[in-house]
Amino acid sequence: MKKSLFICLLFITSVLLFGCNTQSAENTGTSPTESKSEDTKTLNLALFWLDPNIEPTEGWNGWTLSRLGIGESLVQYDENMELKPVIAESWEQVDETTTVFQIRDGVKFHNGNPVDAEAAKKSIERALQISDRDDVKFPVESMTAEGQVLTIKTEKPFATLVNNLADPVFTIVDTTAADSKDFKYKPVATGAFQVVKFTPDVGLTLHKHEEHWSGAIGVDVVNVKYIQDASTRSMALQSGEIDFATQLGAKDLSLFENNKDFNVQKGPNLRIFLLRLNMEKPYMKSLEFRQALSYGMDKETYATKIVNGIPAKGPFNELLSFGHKGEDTYGYNPEKANELLDQAGFVDTNGDGIREADGENIVLKFVSRTNHGSDANNIGTAMQAQYKEIGIGVEVIQVENYEDMAKSGNFDLIWERWTSAPTADAQYFLEASFTTGSAGNHGKYSNEQLDEIITQLSNTMDKASRDQLGMDGAKILMEDVSSLFLYYQEGTVVTRKNVEGVHRYISELYYIDERVKVN
């Protein structure tokens, strides 16, 4: 009797333990591969930016999908900003308004559903309908799907159609799964990795896509940690907590360069840091005054000594086909700055060291956002000292209500950072940031010649002609001192030696893809 009772209790205990283990695996998303094999290839990676969800049609959330190899578009940019086939294995522009895409055979969504032209069409239509990113939308006259052939016809010639489709907003997703309440945390896409777990402010767990079109993937599990602070990412690399990090500071980067345990890749990316001028302030209407502001700052020192960047000569870095490759228009020259200010009538009448306008000392309000960090503040402090030598005062402040101050014009110089050519074309930045009345033009800059160039860009299909228009527009911005272009950010990627197949992209749209391996 006692023996029977013991066996019964043992059976009940076994059932309870089995049940508990099963529930735990479901909650944590542990895969069969992970639980069965001790040879699981795991990559631990840090992101410096993570939004509350990863629905690709919301803002720039899609960047997380493309950076982590979760999402793919019809086409993408390679390491040198050249378009490459991904879900579309080829494409052809048959006339000024019609482009035909051949969808690659064998592409499957993370849930196993096949990707054909109809699935791609529905995904693109969904993005056009619900996305808040109007800057990458295009006017569709018709979109037809037949087998693996997708044909897009625009209402008018649209030169950057293929470029825009490379934006992560147009990540191809399974629209039949998009109504799920979990979709914004676990979007069903086609990339080499699929989301198993997403936790805002913490990170993600990814598993390899067993049916990816490229074949076997060399990493089984990717643990993604959200670490905002660059120094903390550096410490996590040193301790072995992570194997992969980007955007490390200059001081921290030196810890890994010439270190046998790490690979370091670095070079300019597309991000431009600038100070936008408030053109509604009376003194900013004077070209001589704006030129003096440019002559009065040593941005070579700011870039190389303070932020480890590359001094900017204009809105686009010279790696781009429309980037400015000549000399800086108004390089550091404080004597010239003083001469121009004197000529323009901005003088110090009371001997306190500060020039005046309409009887008032000129003290420029330099505004940055609190989370712009020490770089903005340090450059502001450096400018404060240098502008004192040309008789201009500077008040440096960091604020929480940055957007309110930008919209209300409560600034003289406001810190901004832009990805200047996300579609490898000049029109986006010129139009979004400097067109008369555009939403991003907080400084109220206006130039009829620039507006005309942007109009021409909207009607020009030829790549070489578009590049020339981009250069012409940039020249106007530089000569007219529309803003103070400070520096281009240097992109950095640091990996442990056992991680292979990682490439540094100028666009920073991608970190890992099907080529990554862990040895």
Side-chain angles (χ1 to χ4, degrees):
M1 182 68 183
K2 287 182 178 178
K3 185 177 179 181
S4 299
L5 180 60
F6 173 76
I7 292 172
C8 182
L9 288 172
L10 182 63
F11 173 76
I12 293 170
T13 303
S14 299
V15 169
L16 288 174
L17 284 173
F18 177 79
C20 289
N21 287 339
T22 302
Q23 185 63 44
S24 176
E26 289 175 352
N27 283 344
T28 59
T30 304
S31 74
T33 303
E34 187 178 5
S35 60
K36 286 179 180 178
S37 173
E38 294 180 355
D39 297 326
T40 300
K41 301 290 187 182
T42 301
L43 174 67
N44 296 306
L45 178 155
L47 281 183
F48 67 91
W49 171 35
L50 184 63
D51 287 297
N53 69 70
I54 46 177
E55 160 62 67
T57 61
E58 289 187 18
W60 279 261
N61 295 8
W63 284 45
T64 299
L65 302 186
S66 60
R67 283 174 165 171
L68 298 177
I70 301 165
E72 298 171 325
S73 305
L74 295 184
V75 298
Q76 292 181 181
Y77 291 103
D78 68 10
E79 298 89 324
N80 301 307
M81 288 299 288
E82 298 291 334
L83 287 168
K84 68 174 185 180
V86 184
I87 291 180
E89 63 181 359
S90 65
W91 63 93
E92 180 184 7
Q93 184 178 348
V94 296
D95 60 42
E96 284 193 338
T97 60
T98 308
T99 305
V100 178
F101 298 86
Q102 180 69 41
I103 304 301
R104 187 185 299 275
D105 287 326
V107 180
K108 289 189 177 181
F109 288 113
H110 293 147
N111 57 9
N113 288 341
V115 178
D116 57 11
E118 183 64 26
K121 171 178 174 285
K122 287 181 176 176
S123 179
I124 294 169
E125 287 175 336
R126 175 178 183 269
L128 289 170
Q129 183 177 8
I130 69 174
S131 177
D132 54 358
R133 287 281 309 283
D134 291 338
D135 57 299
V136 293
K137 292 183 178 179
F138 47 88
V140 177
E141 180 178 302
S142 65
M143 200 177 321
T144 58
E146 186 173 352
Q148 298 300 101
V149 178
L150 174 66
T151 303
I152 299 177
K153 191 175 183 62
T154 54
E155 292 175 353
K156 59 182 181 180
F158 198 87
T160 59
L161 170 68
V162 180
N163 305 57
N164 286 23
L165 285 170
D167 193 286
V169 164
F170 295 107
T171 296
I172 301 302
V173 298
D174 187 353
T175 58
T176 66
D179 290 336
S180 163
K181 65 179 181 180
D182 290 333
F183 188 81
K184 62 170 52 180
Y185 309 113
K186 295 181 182 179
V188 180
T190 63
F193 300 99
Q194 63 185 96
V195 182
V196 173
K197 186 176 182 181
F198 174 86
T199 307
D201 297 327
V202 177
L204 305 90
T205 302
L206 314 177
H207 287 173
K208 67 179 179 183
H209 181 15
E210 300 279 2
E211 297 182 282
H212 191 256
W213 55 267
S214 68
I217 304 300
V219 174
D220 299 307
V221 178
V222 182
N223 295 315
V224 183
K225 300 174 187 290
Y226 178 35
I227 305 176
Q228 291 187 67
D229 181 68
S231 295
T232 306
R233 292 196 297 277
S234 295
M235 288 189 286
L237 264 175
Q238 287 181 292
S239 69
E241 180 185 350
I242 59 173
D243 311 302
F244 181 121
T246 63
Q247 297 304 330
L248 301 185
K251 185 178 178 181
D252 293 328
L253 194 65
S254 64
L255 299 171
F256 305 103
E257 292 180 305
N258 302 316
N259 184 323
K260 64 181 178 58
D261 296 325
F262 296 93
N263 288 319
V264 175
Q265 301 180 64
K266 63 180 182 179
N269 62 24
L270 297 179
R271 192 158 294 156
I272 175 75
F273 288 73
L274 60 93
L275 285 170
R276 189 174 296 278
L277 310 183
N278 185 347
M279 296 296 179
E280 294 197 324
K281 294 297 178 79
Y283 31 82
M284 293 295 187
K285 298 182 187 301
S286 163
L287 176 60
E288 291 87 350
F289 184 86
R290 303 197 302 272
Q291 289 171 326
L293 294 184
S294 185
Y295 279 126
M297 63 173 187
D298 183 5
K299 59 186 172 186
E300 175 86 19
T301 298
Y302 304 164
T304 58
K305 304 298 183 186
I306 298 178
V307 297
N308 195 38
I310 294 120
K313 293 178 286 189
F316 307 114
N317 81 46
E318 63 184 47
L319 292 179
L320 296 163
S321 54
F322 43 88
H324 177 62
K325 297 173 176 60
E327 296 296 318
D328 193 5
T329 309
Y330 307 116
Y332 182 50
N333 187 338
E335 293 78 16
K336 184 67 177 177
N338 275 311
E339 180 184 326
L340 283 169
L341 290 169
D342 289 342
Q343 288 176 2
F346 297 103
V347 295
D348 173 17
T349 61
N350 58 13
D352 65 355
I354 301 297
R355 298 174 186 269
E356 296 133 31
D358 298 326
E360 299 287 336
N361 279 357
I362 303 174
V363 179
L364 305 180
K365 183 179 288 187
F366 177 119
V367 177
S368 65
R369 195 188 336 239
T370 309
N371 65 3
H372 285 154
S374 59
D375 287 348
N377 215 41
N378 291 340
I379 285 183
T381 302
M383 289 179 67
Q384 195 175 45
Q386 289 193 315
Y387 276 6
K388 189 175 181 180
E389 295 182 8
I390 62 172
I392 303 293
V394 178
E395 177 192 12
V396 181
I397 59 173
Q398 288 197 308
V399 298
E400 294 287 348
N401 61 333
Y402 172 93
E403 291 295 336
D404 293 338
M405 294 186 74
K407 290 177 181 175
S408 66
N410 186 14
F411 66 91
D412 291 284
L413 311 168
I414 195 162
W415 182 272
E416 293 185 3
R417 56 187 179 192
W418 286 74
T419 298
S420 60
T423 59
D425 186 84
Q427 184 172 354
Y428 160 73
F429 188 37
L430 297 179
E431 187 167 34
S433 187
F434 294 103
T435 305
T436 300
S438 63
N441 187 358
H442 296 307
K444 310 296 183 188
Y445 177 74
S446 180
N447 185 302
E448 291 182 0
Q449 288 180 289
L450 179 72
D451 291 346
E452 174 57 27
I453 284 174
I454 294 168
T455 300
Q456 291 181 47
L457 276 167
S458 298
N459 298 302
T460 301
M461 300 293 288
D462 176 65
K463 166 69 173 166
S465 299
R466 294 185 64 80
D467 284 353
Q468 185 58 55
L469 288 168
M471 287 187 277
D472 293 345
K475 184 180 179 184
I476 289 172
L477 296 181
M478 292 184 288
E479 292 183 346
D480 206 23
V481 198
S482 59
S483 294
L484 300 176
F485 298 105
L486 297 172
Y487 66 95
Y488 311 115
Q489 188 178 50
E490 182 173 66
T492 58
V493 177
V494 181
T495 52
R496 290 194 163 274
K497 286 286 187 183
N498 65 323
V499 181
E500 296 181 355
V502 173
H503 305 266
R504 191 191 74 81
Y505 288 81
I506 298 172
S507 68
E508 293 207 355
L509 277 172
Y510 318 101
Y511 289 162
I512 58 173
D513 56 25
E514 68 277 4
R515 295 172 293 180
V516 67
K517 294 180 181 177
V518 175
N519 298 315

